[in-house]
Amino acid sequence: MIDRQGLAKLVAADIPAGAFVNLGIGLPTEVADHLAPDSGVVLHTENGMLGMGPQARGGDVDRDLINAGKVPVTELPGASYFHHADSFAMMRGGHLDVCVLGAYQVSARGDLANWHSGAPDAIPAVGGAMDLAVGAKQVFVMMNLLTRDGKPKLLPECTYPLTGLRCVTRVYTDLATFLITGGGVVVRDLHGIEFTDLQNLLDVPLEQELS
Amino acid sequence: MIVHETALEAVADTPDGATVLIGGFGPAGEPVELIEALLDSGAKGLTVVSNNAGSGETGIAALIREDRVAKVVCSYPRQADSRHFDDAYRAGRVELDLVPQGNLAERIRAGGAGIGAFFTPTGYGTMLAEGKETRVIGGKGYVLEYPITGDVALVKAHRADARGNLVYRKTGRNFGPVMAAAATTTVVQVEEFGDIDPEHVVTPCIYVNRIVHIGRAA
């Protein structure tokens, strides 16, 4: 089993040099800390910026410069600003190489549920989640494989309200990394668990990547 | 374009029941003084179109607290400190139309650009597309979405020139340019007046009706 930092490191290592990437709020944001300084990866934030730098501290905080999580950030050389419609056109138009998102559930087909717990009294809030899910060329999900009470979050069908259909391409979890392919769910890496034990945790048929 | 002395003067004629497009994403680009002036104007029964539904005690949160808002059209009402929206929503005092953020931006853009409707992949197959017209184009599912226009837009920009051309600051730009184009009357608060290189204009003056100089918050 790998921890949050380990997972963030794993995702960062899989982001191609020079890629344009959107990191979702929460755990995906931590991927930025593990990108190699010379990777040339350009971070997009949906509130209108390419070339986002690390979180701003102290005197660098500027209320006009925040990320999608409304955290003050910095700008890197070569940064650009644009309005919201352009920012989402960039996303929806398939110009982003990768987006990394958290999830409540992912289905074996790559359906994503990450915006609504389904609780009847919850105040719904979607933000840019649905746009990100359908827009990027590759959608990576980072999540624990099991809920706190041990239920799998990689399922034959999502039971929570969907964010997007057939959009997830990879799922990075504490126990394994999964590739969602047209032919099914392929286990790429095991993180300290045997394949048969992993298969026993899930109702989704798994294949093991030949290496 | 008219330069007004005070924010209140610039929004005083907002009628009850108006649809008001309000720029800002979190604190960046939020036209706080114009929203407070709208509160002082007494206008009520408003439909507010904005990314968020206010936090804390200022801005849209204050409009909701004072019962001026009948409906909120936004992508992300739930925030750490959005209790005025939460309370009003749970009590049934405010209606919520939840729109994915990119659809919200594009619907407003379409409103300003004279587009009748458009098909977007965002939301296809989800509960936010329920009841909406859909179409499969080239093997991919799309949802028909309609434009959003406003009676009034409240926008914050960084600088205006003497004509009313605008530039913004950093991520404060967000919804400003699309909202400025999509309202009958666009009211802009600016931090400063000054020259703008024509090549650098972000919002051309044709979209700007009223300007108030508010200065830059410390």
Side-chain angles (χ1 to χ4, degrees), chain A residues 58-95:
Chain A
D60 287 338
V61 171
D62 181 333
R63 62 179 279 133
D64 290 333
L65 182 45
I66 59 175
N67 67 13
K70 305 189 175 77
V71 174
V73 291
T74 51
E75 72 184 24
L76 296 178
S80 57
Y81 297 105
F82 31 84
H83 64 65
H84 245 80
D86 277 351
S87 185
F88 281 79
M90 207 174 274
M91 192 184 283
R92 205 189 298 109
H95 305 282

PDB file of all heavy atoms in Angstrom, chain A residues 58-95:
ATOM      1  N   GLY A  58       3.215  34.517   2.076  1.00  0.00           N
ATOM      2  CA  GLY A  58       3.621  35.825   2.599  1.00  0.00           C
ATOM      3  C   GLY A  58       3.344  36.948   1.628  1.00  0.00           C
ATOM      4  O   GLY A  58       2.222  37.147   1.169  1.00  0.00           O
ATOM      5  N   GLY A  59       4.405  37.685   1.296  1.00  0.00           N
ATOM      6  CA  GLY A  59       4.272  38.867   0.456  1.00  0.00           C
ATOM      7  C   GLY A  59       3.889  38.577  -0.985  1.00  0.00           C
ATOM      8  O   GLY A  59       3.538  39.488  -1.737  1.00  0.00           O
ATOM      9  N   ASP A  60       3.957  37.310  -1.399  1.00  0.00           N
ATOM     10  CA  ASP A  60       3.592  36.963  -2.778  1.00  0.00           C
ATOM     11  C   ASP A  60       2.083  36.787  -2.972  1.00  0.00           C
ATOM     12  O   ASP A  60       1.615  36.617  -4.084  1.00  0.00           O
ATOM     13  CB  ASP A  60       4.273  35.649  -3.195  1.00  0.00           C
ATOM     14  CG  ASP A  60       5.759  35.830  -3.423  1.00  0.00           C
ATOM     15  OD1 ASP A  60       6.160  36.987  -3.675  1.00  0.00           O
ATOM     16  OD2 ASP A  60       6.500  34.843  -3.344  1.00  0.00           O
ATOM     17  N   VAL A  61       1.326  36.795  -1.876  1.00  0.00           N
ATOM     18  CA  VAL A  61      -0.118  36.574  -1.989  1.00  0.00           C
ATOM     19  C   VAL A  61      -0.765  37.776  -2.682  1.00  0.00           C
ATOM     20  O   VAL A  61      -0.519  38.923  -2.319  1.00  0.00           O
ATOM     21  CB  VAL A  61      -0.753  36.340  -0.598  1.00  0.00           C
ATOM     22  CG1 VAL A  61      -2.279  36.328  -0.693  1.00  0.00           C
ATOM     23  CG2 VAL A  61      -0.247  35.034   0.003  1.00  0.00           C
ATOM     24  N   ASP A  62      -1.581  37.472  -3.704  1.00  0.00           N
ATOM     25  CA  ASP A  62      -2.260  38.503  -4.491  1.00  0.00           C
ATOM     26  C   ASP A  62      -3.702  38.036  -4.662  1.00  0.00           C
ATOM     27  O   ASP A  62      -3.932  36.944  -5.199  1.00  0.00           O
ATOM     28  CB  ASP A  62      -1.542  38.611  -5.854  1.00  0.00           C
ATOM     29  CG  ASP A  62      -2.136  39.674  -6.763  1.00  0.00           C
ATOM     30  OD1 ASP A  62      -3.334  39.992  -6.635  1.00  0.00           O
ATOM     31  OD2 ASP A  62      -1.385  40.174  -7.620  1.00  0.00           O
ATOM     32  N   ARG A  63      -4.681  38.834  -4.240  1.00  0.00           N
ATOM     33  CA  ARG A  63      -6.061  38.343  -4.281  1.00  0.00           C
ATOM     34  C   ARG A  63      -6.558  38.135  -5.708  1.00  0.00           C
ATOM     35  O   ARG A  63      -7.571  37.468  -5.927  1.00  0.00           O
ATOM     36  CB  ARG A  63      -7.016  39.235  -3.478  1.00  0.00           C
ATOM     37  CG  ARG A  63      -7.119  40.657  -3.981  1.00  0.00           C
ATOM     38  CD  ARG A  63      -8.098  41.469  -3.153  1.00  0.00           C
ATOM     39  NE  ARG A  63      -9.479  41.228  -3.543  1.00  0.00           N
ATOM     40  CZ  ARG A  63     -10.482  40.994  -2.695  1.00  0.00           C
ATOM     41  NH1 ARG A  63     -10.284  40.925  -1.415  1.00  0.00           N
ATOM     42  NH2 ARG A  63     -11.702  40.829  -3.144  1.00  0.00           N
ATOM     43  N   ASP A  64      -5.871  38.687  -6.681  1.00  0.00           N
ATOM     44  CA  ASP A  64      -6.254  38.487  -8.081  1.00  0.00           C
ATOM     45  C   ASP A  64      -5.584  37.262  -8.703  1.00  0.00           C
ATOM     46  O   ASP A  64      -5.754  37.015  -9.896  1.00  0.00           O
ATOM     47  CB  ASP A  64      -5.876  39.714  -8.918  1.00  0.00           C
ATOM     48  CG  ASP A  64      -6.747  40.910  -8.597  1.00  0.00           C
ATOM     49  OD1 ASP A  64      -7.902  40.714  -8.160  1.00  0.00           O
ATOM     50  OD2 ASP A  64      -6.269  42.046  -8.758  1.00  0.00           O
ATOM     51  N   LEU A  65      -4.822  36.533  -7.926  1.00  0.00           N
ATOM     52  CA  LEU A  65      -4.099  35.383  -8.493  1.00  0.00           C
ATOM     53  C   LEU A  65      -4.330  34.150  -7.624  1.00  0.00           C
ATOM     54  O   LEU A  65      -3.627  33.906  -6.645  1.00  0.00           O
ATOM     55  CB  LEU A  65      -2.606  35.713  -8.602  1.00  0.00           C
ATOM     56  CG  LEU A  65      -1.707  34.639  -9.230  1.00  0.00           C
ATOM     57  CD1 LEU A  65      -2.294  34.041 -10.482  1.00  0.00           C
ATOM     58  CD2 LEU A  65      -0.330  35.209  -9.509  1.00  0.00           C
ATOM     59  N   ILE A  66      -5.371  33.395  -8.009  1.00  0.00           N
ATOM     60  CA  ILE A  66      -5.759  32.213  -7.221  1.00  0.00           C
ATOM     61  C   ILE A  66      -5.983  31.034  -8.156  1.00  0.00           C
ATOM     62  O   ILE A  66      -6.152  31.209  -9.363  1.00  0.00           O
ATOM     63  CB  ILE A  66      -7.042  32.480  -6.393  1.00  0.00           C
ATOM     64  CG1 ILE A  66      -8.218  32.865  -7.310  1.00  0.00           C
ATOM     65  CG2 ILE A  66      -6.792  33.572  -5.360  1.00  0.00           C
ATOM     66  CD1 ILE A  66      -9.540  33.024  -6.573  1.00  0.00           C
ATOM     67  N   ASN A  67      -5.989  29.832  -7.578  1.00  0.00           N
ATOM     68  CA  ASN A  67      -6.276  28.643  -8.394  1.00  0.00           C
ATOM     69  C   ASN A  67      -7.745  28.263  -8.259  1.00  0.00           C
ATOM     70  O   ASN A  67      -8.519  28.968  -7.606  1.00  0.00           O
ATOM     71  CB  ASN A  67      -5.331  27.497  -8.032  1.00  0.00           C
ATOM     72  CG  ASN A  67      -5.557  26.959  -6.623  1.00  0.00           C
ATOM     73  OD1 ASN A  67      -6.564  27.258  -5.969  1.00  0.00           O
ATOM     74  ND2 ASN A  67      -4.622  26.161  -6.134  1.00  0.00           N
ATOM     75  N   ALA A  68      -8.117  27.145  -8.881  1.00  0.00           N
ATOM     76  CA  ALA A  68      -9.524  26.748  -8.899  1.00  0.00           C
ATOM     77  C   ALA A  68     -10.048  26.430  -7.502  1.00  0.00           C
ATOM     78  O   ALA A  68     -11.248  26.502  -7.252  1.00  0.00           O
ATOM     79  CB  ALA A  68      -9.713  25.554  -9.825  1.00  0.00           C
ATOM     80  N   GLY A  69      -9.141  26.103  -6.575  1.00  0.00           N
ATOM     81  CA  GLY A  69      -9.538  25.869  -5.198  1.00  0.00           C
ATOM     82  C   GLY A  69      -9.534  27.164  -4.385  1.00  0.00           C
ATOM     83  O   GLY A  69      -9.685  27.137  -3.170  1.00  0.00           O
ATOM     84  N   LYS A  70      -9.325  28.287  -5.076  1.00  0.00           N
ATOM     85  CA  LYS A  70      -9.326  29.636  -4.492  1.00  0.00           C
ATOM     86  C   LYS A  70      -8.152  29.848  -3.533  1.00  0.00           C
ATOM     87  O   LYS A  70      -8.174  30.695  -2.652  1.00  0.00           O
ATOM     88  CB  LYS A  70     -10.674  29.952  -3.837  1.00  0.00           C
ATOM     89  CG  LYS A  70     -11.816  29.761  -4.830  1.00  0.00           C
ATOM     90  CD  LYS A  70     -13.152  30.246  -4.373  1.00  0.00           C
ATOM     91  CE  LYS A  70     -14.194  30.130  -5.480  1.00  0.00           C
ATOM     92  NZ  LYS A  70     -14.705  28.783  -5.716  1.00  0.00           N
ATOM     93  N   VAL A  71      -7.093  29.073  -3.753  1.00  0.00           N
ATOM     94  CA  VAL A  71      -5.859  29.205  -2.983  1.00  0.00           C
ATOM     95  C   VAL A  71      -4.935  30.172  -3.746  1.00  0.00           C
ATOM     96  O   VAL A  71      -4.795  30.043  -4.964  1.00  0.00           O
ATOM     97  CB  VAL A  71      -5.163  27.830  -2.846  1.00  0.00           C
ATOM     98  CG1 VAL A  71      -3.805  27.965  -2.178  1.00  0.00           C
ATOM     99  CG2 VAL A  71      -6.057  26.872  -2.084  1.00  0.00           C
ATOM    100  N   PRO A  72      -4.286  31.141  -3.052  1.00  0.00           N
ATOM    101  CA  PRO A  72      -3.364  32.039  -3.739  1.00  0.00           C
ATOM    102  C   PRO A  72      -2.190  31.265  -4.338  1.00  0.00           C
ATOM    103  O   PRO A  72      -1.606  30.412  -3.670  1.00  0.00           O
ATOM    104  CB  PRO A  72      -2.870  32.982  -2.627  1.00  0.00           C
ATOM    105  CG  PRO A  72      -3.870  32.861  -1.538  1.00  0.00           C
ATOM    106  CD  PRO A  72      -4.422  31.466  -1.622  1.00  0.00           C
ATOM    107  N   VAL A  73      -1.894  31.557  -5.606  1.00  0.00           N
ATOM    108  CA  VAL A  73      -0.793  30.868  -6.285  1.00  0.00           C
ATOM    109  C   VAL A  73       0.133  31.912  -6.916  1.00  0.00           C
ATOM    110  O   VAL A  73      -0.075  33.116  -6.755  1.00  0.00           O
ATOM    111  CB  VAL A  73      -1.314  29.881  -7.357  1.00  0.00           C
ATOM    112  CG1 VAL A  73      -2.022  28.711  -6.710  1.00  0.00           C
ATOM    113  CG2 VAL A  73      -2.227  30.586  -8.358  1.00  0.00           C
ATOM    114  N   THR A  74       1.148  31.434  -7.634  1.00  0.00           N
ATOM    115  CA  THR A  74       2.113  32.325  -8.288  1.00  0.00           C
ATOM    116  C   THR A  74       2.092  32.058  -9.789  1.00  0.00           C
ATOM    117  O   THR A  74       1.491  31.080 -10.238  1.00  0.00           O
ATOM    118  CB  THR A  74       3.527  32.061  -7.738  1.00  0.00           C
ATOM    119  OG1 THR A  74       3.789  30.650  -7.820  1.00  0.00           O
ATOM    120  CG2 THR A  74       3.652  32.500  -6.295  1.00  0.00           C
ATOM    121  N   GLU A  75       2.717  32.963 -10.543  1.00  0.00           N
ATOM    122  CA  GLU A  75       2.802  32.730 -11.980  1.00  0.00           C
ATOM    123  C   GLU A  75       4.240  32.415 -12.358  1.00  0.00           C
ATOM    124  O   GLU A  75       5.184  32.946 -11.771  1.00  0.00           O
ATOM    125  CB  GLU A  75       2.262  33.933 -12.780  1.00  0.00           C
ATOM    126  CG  GLU A  75       3.137  35.142 -12.754  1.00  0.00           C
ATOM    127  CD  GLU A  75       2.529  36.366 -13.468  1.00  0.00           C
ATOM    128  OE1 GLU A  75       1.295  36.467 -13.603  1.00  0.00           O
ATOM    129  OE2 GLU A  75       3.318  37.232 -13.860  1.00  0.00           O
ATOM    130  N   LEU A  76       4.410  31.530 -13.344  1.00  0.00           N
ATOM    131  CA  LEU A  76       5.739  31.155 -13.833  1.00  0.00           C
ATOM    132  C   LEU A  76       6.031  31.923 -15.123  1.00  0.00           C
ATOM    133  O   LEU A  76       5.109  32.415 -15.781  1.00  0.00           O
ATOM    134  CB  LEU A  76       5.783  29.647 -14.092  1.00  0.00           C
ATOM    135  CG  LEU A  76       5.612  28.766 -12.853  1.00  0.00           C
ATOM    136  CD1 LEU A  76       5.616  27.291 -13.246  1.00  0.00           C
ATOM    137  CD2 LEU A  76       6.708  29.036 -11.824  1.00  0.00           C
ATOM    138  N   PRO A  77       7.303  32.034 -15.502  1.00  0.00           N
ATOM    139  CA  PRO A  77       7.624  32.676 -16.784  1.00  0.00           C
ATOM    140  C   PRO A  77       6.867  31.984 -17.919  1.00  0.00           C
ATOM    141  O   PRO A  77       6.753  30.756 -17.928  1.00  0.00           O
ATOM    142  CB  PRO A  77       9.140  32.455 -16.921  1.00  0.00           C
ATOM    143  CG  PRO A  77       9.627  32.255 -15.521  1.00  0.00           C
ATOM    144  CD  PRO A  77       8.505  31.570 -14.787  1.00  0.00           C
ATOM    145  N   GLY A  78       6.324  32.794 -18.822  1.00  0.00           N
ATOM    146  CA  GLY A  78       5.552  32.225 -19.931  1.00  0.00           C
ATOM    147  C   GLY A  78       4.090  32.006 -19.607  1.00  0.00           C
ATOM    148  O   GLY A  78       3.350  31.433 -20.414  1.00  0.00           O
ATOM    149  N   ALA A  79       3.654  32.456 -18.433  1.00  0.00           N
ATOM    150  CA  ALA A  79       2.247  32.292 -18.040  1.00  0.00           C
ATOM    151  C   ALA A  79       1.341  33.136 -18.935  1.00  0.00           C
ATOM    152  O   ALA A  79       1.790  34.099 -19.568  1.00  0.00           O
ATOM    153  CB  ALA A  79       2.059  32.710 -16.583  1.00  0.00           C
ATOM    154  N   SER A  80       0.062  32.746 -19.006  1.00  0.00           N
ATOM    155  CA  SER A  80      -0.920  33.550 -19.727  1.00  0.00           C
ATOM    156  C   SER A  80      -2.248  33.519 -18.978  1.00  0.00           C
ATOM    157  O   SER A  80      -2.526  32.590 -18.231  1.00  0.00           O
ATOM    158  CB  SER A  80      -1.100  33.028 -21.158  1.00  0.00           C
ATOM    159  OG  SER A  80      -1.476  31.665 -21.147  1.00  0.00           O
ATOM    160  N   TYR A  81      -3.041  34.577 -19.206  1.00  0.00           N
ATOM    161  CA  TYR A  81      -4.376  34.677 -18.603  1.00  0.00           C
ATOM    162  C   TYR A  81      -5.408  34.776 -19.708  1.00  0.00           C
ATOM    163  O   TYR A  81      -5.136  35.334 -20.778  1.00  0.00           O
ATOM    164  CB  TYR A  81      -4.466  35.919 -17.710  1.00  0.00           C
ATOM    165  CG  TYR A  81      -3.514  35.879 -16.546  1.00  0.00           C
ATOM    166  CD1 TYR A  81      -2.368  36.660 -16.533  1.00  0.00           C
ATOM    167  CD2 TYR A  81      -3.762  35.048 -15.462  1.00  0.00           C
ATOM    168  CE1 TYR A  81      -1.481  36.617 -15.471  1.00  0.00           C
ATOM    169  CE2 TYR A  81      -2.882  34.999 -14.390  1.00  0.00           C
ATOM    170  CZ  TYR A  81      -1.745  35.781 -14.396  1.00  0.00           C
ATOM    171  OH  TYR A  81      -0.875  35.727 -13.338  1.00  0.00           O
ATOM    172  N   PHE A  82      -6.605  34.241 -19.432  1.00  0.00           N
ATOM    173  CA  PHE A  82      -7.688  34.267 -20.424  1.00  0.00           C
ATOM    174  C   PHE A  82      -8.990  34.153 -19.657  1.00  0.00           C
ATOM    175  O   PHE A  82      -9.001  33.774 -18.483  1.00  0.00           O
ATOM    176  CB  PHE A  82      -7.530  33.115 -21.432  1.00  0.00           C
ATOM    177  CG  PHE A  82      -6.883  31.884 -20.849  1.00  0.00           C
ATOM    178  CD1 PHE A  82      -7.631  30.952 -20.163  1.00  0.00           C
ATOM    179  CD2 PHE A  82      -5.487  31.696 -20.916  1.00  0.00           C
ATOM    180  CE1 PHE A  82      -7.035  29.840 -19.586  1.00  0.00           C
ATOM    181  CE2 PHE A  82      -4.889  30.580 -20.330  1.00  0.00           C
ATOM    182  CZ  PHE A  82      -5.667  29.652 -19.672  1.00  0.00           C
ATOM    183  N   HIS A  83     -10.090  34.496 -20.359  1.00  0.00           N
ATOM    184  CA  HIS A  83     -11.373  34.472 -19.643  1.00  0.00           C
ATOM    185  C   HIS A  83     -11.945  33.052 -19.544  1.00  0.00           C
ATOM    186  O   HIS A  83     -11.426  32.115 -20.157  1.00  0.00           O
ATOM    187  CB  HIS A  83     -12.362  35.469 -20.254  1.00  0.00           C
ATOM    188  CG  HIS A  83     -12.782  35.189 -21.660  1.00  0.00           C
ATOM    189  ND1 HIS A  83     -13.497  34.079 -22.025  1.00  0.00           N
ATOM    190  CD2 HIS A  83     -12.596  35.905 -22.801  1.00  0.00           C
ATOM    191  CE1 HIS A  83     -13.753  34.118 -23.319  1.00  0.00           C
ATOM    192  NE2 HIS A  83     -13.201  35.217 -23.810  1.00  0.00           N
ATOM    193  N   HIS A  84     -13.002  32.940 -18.770  1.00  0.00           N
ATOM    194  CA  HIS A  84     -13.562  31.630 -18.442  1.00  0.00           C
ATOM    195  C   HIS A  84     -14.035  30.835 -19.659  1.00  0.00           C
ATOM    196  O   HIS A  84     -13.865  29.621 -19.696  1.00  0.00           O
ATOM    197  CB  HIS A  84     -14.734  31.811 -17.472  1.00  0.00           C
ATOM    198  CG  HIS A  84     -14.476  31.213 -16.136  1.00  0.00           C
ATOM    199  ND1 HIS A  84     -13.727  31.826 -15.167  1.00  0.00           N
ATOM    200  CD2 HIS A  84     -14.868  30.022 -15.607  1.00  0.00           C
ATOM    201  CE1 HIS A  84     -13.673  31.048 -14.101  1.00  0.00           C
ATOM    202  NE2 HIS A  84     -14.346  29.950 -14.338  1.00  0.00           N
ATOM    203  N   ALA A  85     -14.649  31.501 -20.624  1.00  0.00           N
ATOM    204  CA  ALA A  85     -15.146  30.763 -21.792  1.00  0.00           C
ATOM    205  C   ALA A  85     -13.967  30.208 -22.589  1.00  0.00           C
ATOM    206  O   ALA A  85     -14.016  29.076 -23.079  1.00  0.00           O
ATOM    207  CB  ALA A  85     -16.034  31.653 -22.657  1.00  0.00           C
ATOM    208  N   ASP A  86     -12.902  30.974 -22.706  1.00  0.00           N
ATOM    209  CA  ASP A  86     -11.693  30.483 -23.382  1.00  0.00           C
ATOM    210  C   ASP A  86     -11.065  29.334 -22.597  1.00  0.00           C
ATOM    211  O   ASP A  86     -10.567  28.358 -23.165  1.00  0.00           O
ATOM    212  CB  ASP A  86     -10.646  31.600 -23.507  1.00  0.00           C
ATOM    213  CG  ASP A  86     -10.900  32.498 -24.708  1.00  0.00           C
ATOM    214  OD1 ASP A  86     -11.773  32.152 -25.530  1.00  0.00           O
ATOM    215  OD2 ASP A  86     -10.238  33.547 -24.815  1.00  0.00           O
ATOM    216  N   SER A  87     -11.060  29.471 -21.288  1.00  0.00           N
ATOM    217  CA  SER A  87     -10.435  28.455 -20.447  1.00  0.00           C
ATOM    218  C   SER A  87     -11.128  27.104 -20.593  1.00  0.00           C
ATOM    219  O   SER A  87     -10.480  26.052 -20.660  1.00  0.00           O
ATOM    220  CB  SER A  87     -10.485  28.911 -18.985  1.00  0.00           C
ATOM    221  OG  SER A  87      -9.791  28.002 -18.176  1.00  0.00           O
ATOM    222  N   PHE A  88     -12.461  27.148 -20.659  1.00  0.00           N
ATOM    223  CA  PHE A  88     -13.204  25.890 -20.788  1.00  0.00           C
ATOM    224  C   PHE A  88     -13.240  25.410 -22.240  1.00  0.00           C
ATOM    225  O   PHE A  88     -13.380  24.214 -22.490  1.00  0.00           O
ATOM    226  CB  PHE A  88     -14.599  26.020 -20.171  1.00  0.00           C
ATOM    227  CG  PHE A  88     -14.553  25.898 -18.675  1.00  0.00           C
ATOM    228  CD1 PHE A  88     -14.166  26.973 -17.888  1.00  0.00           C
ATOM    229  CD2 PHE A  88     -14.820  24.695 -18.051  1.00  0.00           C
ATOM    230  CE1 PHE A  88     -14.074  26.851 -16.505  1.00  0.00           C
ATOM    231  CE2 PHE A  88     -14.735  24.559 -16.667  1.00  0.00           C
ATOM    232  CZ  PHE A  88     -14.363  25.638 -15.891  1.00  0.00           C
ATOM    233  N   ALA A  89     -13.092  26.325 -23.192  1.00  0.00           N
ATOM    234  CA  ALA A  89     -12.981  25.917 -24.591  1.00  0.00           C
ATOM    235  C   ALA A  89     -11.686  25.120 -24.772  1.00  0.00           C
ATOM    236  O   ALA A  89     -11.641  24.107 -25.468  1.00  0.00           O
ATOM    237  CB  ALA A  89     -12.990  27.140 -25.502  1.00  0.00           C
ATOM    238  N   MET A  90     -10.655  25.579 -24.109  1.00  0.00           N
ATOM    239  CA  MET A  90      -9.346  24.916 -24.115  1.00  0.00           C
ATOM    240  C   MET A  90      -9.474  23.473 -23.607  1.00  0.00           C
ATOM    241  O   MET A  90      -8.863  22.538 -24.105  1.00  0.00           O
ATOM    242  CB  MET A  90      -8.493  25.717 -23.130  1.00  0.00           C
ATOM    243  CG  MET A  90      -7.037  25.721 -23.336  1.00  0.00           C
ATOM    244  SD  MET A  90      -6.338  26.894 -22.128  1.00  0.00           S
ATOM    245  CE  MET A  90      -6.486  28.442 -22.980  1.00  0.00           C
ATOM    246  N   MET A  91     -10.305  23.334 -22.589  1.00  0.00           N
ATOM    247  CA  MET A  91     -10.517  22.044 -21.941  1.00  0.00           C
ATOM    248  C   MET A  91     -11.416  21.161 -22.812  1.00  0.00           C
ATOM    249  O   MET A  91     -11.049  20.061 -23.206  1.00  0.00           O
ATOM    250  CB  MET A  91     -11.211  22.381 -20.624  1.00  0.00           C
ATOM    251  CG  MET A  91     -11.311  21.315 -19.624  1.00  0.00           C
ATOM    252  SD  MET A  91     -12.279  22.002 -18.248  1.00  0.00           S
ATOM    253  CE  MET A  91     -11.109  23.008 -17.423  1.00  0.00           C
ATOM    254  N   ARG A  92     -12.572  21.696 -23.152  1.00  0.00           N
ATOM    255  CA  ARG A  92     -13.571  20.944 -23.908  1.00  0.00           C
ATOM    256  C   ARG A  92     -13.068  20.614 -25.312  1.00  0.00           C
ATOM    257  O   ARG A  92     -13.399  19.591 -25.896  1.00  0.00           O
ATOM    258  CB  ARG A  92     -14.843  21.799 -24.000  1.00  0.00           C
ATOM    259  CG  ARG A  92     -16.116  21.041 -24.197  1.00  0.00           C
ATOM    260  CD  ARG A  92     -17.246  22.002 -24.498  1.00  0.00           C
ATOM    261  NE  ARG A  92     -17.547  22.947 -23.452  1.00  0.00           N
ATOM    262  CZ  ARG A  92     -17.291  24.261 -23.517  1.00  0.00           C
ATOM    263  NH1 ARG A  92     -16.719  24.798 -24.577  1.00  0.00           N
ATOM    264  NH2 ARG A  92     -17.619  25.049 -22.522  1.00  0.00           N
ATOM    265  N   GLY A  93     -12.232  21.497 -25.832  1.00  0.00           N
ATOM    266  CA  GLY A  93     -11.714  21.319 -27.185  1.00  0.00           C
ATOM    267  C   GLY A  93     -10.611  20.283 -27.293  1.00  0.00           C
ATOM    268  O   GLY A  93     -10.041  20.091 -28.368  1.00  0.00           O
ATOM    269  N   GLY A  94     -10.285  19.634 -26.177  1.00  0.00           N
ATOM    270  CA  GLY A  94      -9.313  18.543 -26.215  1.00  0.00           C
ATOM    271  C   GLY A  94      -7.867  19.003 -26.282  1.00  0.00           C
ATOM    272  O   GLY A  94      -6.997  18.273 -26.750  1.00  0.00           O
ATOM    273  N   HIS A  95      -7.606  20.210 -25.806  1.00  0.00           N
ATOM    274  CA  HIS A  95      -6.233  20.731 -25.879  1.00  0.00           C
ATOM    275  C   HIS A  95      -5.383  20.372 -24.665  1.00  0.00           C
ATOM    276  O   HIS A  95      -4.160  20.469 -24.720  1.00  0.00           O
ATOM    277  CB  HIS A  95      -6.272  22.248 -26.070  1.00  0.00           C
ATOM    278  CG  HIS A  95      -7.084  22.660 -27.256  1.00  0.00           C
ATOM    279  ND1 HIS A  95      -6.618  22.566 -28.547  1.00  0.00           N
ATOM    280  CD2 HIS A  95      -8.355  23.094 -27.359  1.00  0.00           C
ATOM    281  CE1 HIS A  95      -7.566  22.955 -29.386  1.00  0.00           C
ATOM    282  NE2 HIS A  95      -8.631  23.277 -28.688  1.00  0.00           N
TER     283      HIS A  95
END
